[in-house]
Amino acid sequence: MTDPNRLRVPAAPRSADPAASRRAFLTGSLAAGGALVAAAAARASTGAGDPAILEIPDWTRYNGFGVDEYPYGVPSPYEAHVVRRNVPWLTAESVSSINFTPIHELDGIITPNGLCFERHHGGAAEIDPAQHRLMINGLVDKPLVFTMDDLKRFPRENHVYFLECAANTGMEWRGAQLNGAQYTHGMIHNVMYTGVKLKHLLDEAGVKTNGKWVMPEGADSAAMTRSIPIEKAMDDCLVAFKMNGEALRTEQGYPVRLVVPGWEGNMWVKWLRRLEVGDEPWHHREETSKYTDMLADGRSRRFTWEMDAKSVITSPSPQAPILHGKGPLVITGLAWSGRGTIPRVDVTIDGGKNWTEARMSGPSLDKSMHRFYLDIVWDGSPLLLQSRAHCSTGYVQPTKSELRAVRGENSIYHNNGIQTWYVNEQGVAENVEIS
Ligand code: MTE
Ligand code: CO
């Protein structure tokens, strides 16, 4: 069931940041880490004799830090292990690379800005917004150049959307590979964007009748270009400048990026500087090999832009083992679809023999992540955990074998097969494949 040659991702070191070590009196409890947490939970049932309740801790005896300490707030030093991580052997250098959202540590549906995975082809461009321009040219009546201030004078909208790289779960096509939900499913984030409908800008320029494609270009050194059919561009695409209420982060495309709801991440051009309207896609010239899905017979699928329904259990999972032993256990995960909402997720704890409908909690928004829970009482026996998303279109997330039967094994992109975690009696979880 498990392959010993598979990559083992070492557990995140639970250490505090340097700012915290100033406070030397904290160090003792920091070093104890996860073991303390587990022990405290075990004692909770009895309570008696617990020094953490009987003795007054240092943080109650002395004042904490003042309001000027962190003009821009940072997470508690005890959360220092909750960070984006990369897999060094996946790519040759960090400027053309990828890191992963720590989805195993998060809850709810919103990804905090500092934890959104990054994918750049030429590093993250650092752009002065005052010097930045967005041009619309090509098959339009009136080519236009917008400053950032110009963009902010169009009517704005707010939408929560997930962005999933087409390569998310790509290493898992031939079998269980990476040991952690962060690495198997972490090329995804879900934030609230504030921006202007692309349609407003295109209407302002006046798209000619033969304008069938919109080709966005980035201002980064990779000058990323993609091709988007005019119907999608006129439908729900946004030119966004805010995420979760604040300016886009540099690595997410500051000062402005394209949002292409439900479609694969590579089309969401960051550091957006130009939109050329054309009558044929740029794919004809340069994109025939990249971002296409290879089929078993060597043919490829083209224009597979929508992200199909998918889900993953984020906890328990290899980086989020069960530390508290048997008894009440919260199983939780994420589900999403590029074609609609997720009205239902099923969870199995026995590898698919029995399925139970999970409890959805939080907003159910179009083309956004959904949060699900299954609250069980764990008897301490091994678990084979899986989740299965249902899309509002009626589509149901396939098993990996169902996916391979249609798509073969030569793909990297668009792997939305059902994920399995094996959890042993100790609560340790690992990435496996069954059936
Ligand atoms: N836009 C530019 N200009 N340059 C890039 O390298 N990478 C693309 C897309 N937009 C990229 C880009 C890819 S492949 C993905 S998956 C998403 O950005 C990642 O967005 P993120 O870094 O906000 O997660
Ligand atoms: Co991508």
Side-chain angles (χ1 to χ4, degrees):
M1 189 145 59
T2 66
D3 172 5
N5 296 321
R6 223 166 56 219
L7 174 90
R8 279 308 153 88
V9 180
R14 290 182 170 251
S15 61
D17 71 7
S21 57
R22 269 183 298 130
R23 313 177 130 230
F25 57 80
L26 283 180
T27 342
S29 48
L30 281 178
L36 257 192
V37 176
R43 268 198 306 270
S45 52
T46 63
D50 180 354
I53 191 72
L54 295 175
E55 290 161 22
I56 298 171
D58 281 339
W59 49 77
T60 307
R61 283 180 215 267
Y62 309 108
N63 286 335
F65 60 77
V67 292
D68 294 330
E69 186 88 7
Y70 298 103
Y72 192 104
V74 295
S76 159
Y78 295 97
E79 300 297 318
H81 57 287
V82 184
V83 288
R84 303 184 280 218
R85 291 175 192 279
N86 69 7
V87 175
W89 55 260
L90 273 183
T91 49
E93 45 180 0
S94 69
V95 290
S96 182
S97 191
I98 178 96
N99 61 21
F100 302 87
T101 306
I103 52 173
H104 62 293
E105 291 278 2
L106 303 180
D107 219 313
I109 64 165
I110 296 293
T111 315
N113 288 344
L115 295 177
C116 289
F117 86 95
E118 307 165 67
R119 172 77 177 107
H120 330 125
H121 293 76
E126 292 183 273
I127 294 178
D128 173 358
Q131 302 299 318
H132 188 70
R133 301 290 181 269
L134 171 59
M135 175 163 92
I136 300 187
N137 70 330
L139 299 174
V140 291
D141 298 332
K142 188 174 45 156
L144 293 173
V145 173
F146 302 95
T147 64
M148 287 307 297
D149 284 343
D150 293 337
L151 291 177
K152 290 176 181 172
R153 297 175 68 185
F154 284 85
R156 279 172 229 167
E157 293 188 12
N158 295 299
H159 295 274
V160 178
Y161 293 124
F162 74 83
L163 180 166
E164 184 181 16
C165 180
N168 197 21
T169 325
M171 299 307 293
E172 307 292 309
W173 263 105
R174 289 167 197 202
Q177 178 83 222
L178 300 173
N179 220 20
Q182 177 168 21
Y183 303 101
T184 56
H185 289 75
M187 289 187 201
I188 189 163
H189 50 65
N190 197 62
V191 306
M192 178 175 284
Y193 294 98
T194 305
V196 173
K197 273 240 159 115
L198 176 55
K199 179 183 189 315
H200 292 325
L201 305 182
L202 291 172
D203 284 346
E204 190 83 359
V207 174
K208 291 188 189 296
T209 45
N210 57 339
K212 296 293 175 220
W213 294 83
V214 173
M215 292 163 284
E217 181 184 270
D220 52 332
S221 77
M224 266 244 332
T225 48
R226 293 289 176 254
S227 308
I228 297 171
I230 193 76
E231 295 77 20
K232 179 68 175 173
M234 288 296 198
D235 178 18
D236 55 1
C237 289
L238 293 177
V239 170
F241 33 80
K242 297 268 165 94
M243 59 194 285
N244 291 334
E246 65 177 359
L248 293 178
R249 290 289 168 91
T250 304
E251 53 272 41
Q252 262 69 49
Y254 181 86
V256 62
R257 91 176 298 167
L258 194 63
V259 168
V260 190
W263 288 27
E264 59 189 31
N266 70 83
M267 308 181 92
W268 299 48
V269 171
K270 303 191 276 192
W271 312 289
L272 183 66
R273 84 161 156 217
R274 198 162 71 87
L275 293 155
E276 183 177 323
V277 179
D279 56 0
E280 64 167 48
W282 282 355
H283 283 74
H284 285 335
R285 305 209 286 268
E286 57 184 72
E287 281 302 321
T288 43
S289 60
K290 276 163 84 183
Y291 294 107
T292 49
D293 295 324
M294 299 304 291
L295 294 175
D297 62 5
R299 285 180 308 138
S300 60
R301 300 162 82 215
R302 282 188 77 206
F303 301 154
T304 49
W305 298 308
E306 274 161 311
M307 302 309 291
D308 282 313
K310 183 166 168 179
S311 68
V312 65
I313 291 175
T314 52
S315 179
S317 64
Q319 299 159 289
I322 307 173
L323 296 174
H324 54 57
K326 55 176 99 164
L329 171 67
V330 176
I331 299 171
T332 187
L334 292 164
W336 59 94
S337 167
R339 300 177 194 266
T341 60
I342 301 289
R344 174 177 152 194
V345 176
D346 305 319
V347 171
T348 176
I349 62 170
D350 57 15
K353 291 192 199 83
N354 300 285
W355 290 92
T356 308
E357 191 171 336
R359 178 170 61 86
M360 309 301 295
S361 176
S364 171
L365 302 168
D366 193 37
K367 305 178 178 70
S368 161
M369 280 183 174
H370 292 61
R371 174 62 60 177
F372 64 86
Y373 297 97
L374 186 69
D375 309 292
I376 67 164
V377 176
W378 184 42
D379 63 7
S381 56
L383 305 170
L384 277 171
L385 295 176
Q386 297 180 323
S387 61
R388 180 173 68 192
H390 295 249
C391 178
S392 51
T393 58
Y395 171 93
V396 180
Q397 184 183 1
T399 63
K400 287 190 181 177
S401 352
E402 284 167 350
L403 203 59
R404 286 195 193 104
V406 180
R407 303 261 301 278
E409 298 200 2
N410 296 327
S411 289
I412 293 176
Y413 302 113
H414 294 272
N415 180 355
N416 68 324
I418 289 174
Q419 173 67 42
T420 313
W421 306 127
Y422 169 74
V423 184
N424 72 12
E425 291 94 333
Q426 281 73 48
V428 174
E430 66 177 311
N431 182 3
V432 299
E433 249 191 53
I434 52 173
S435 78

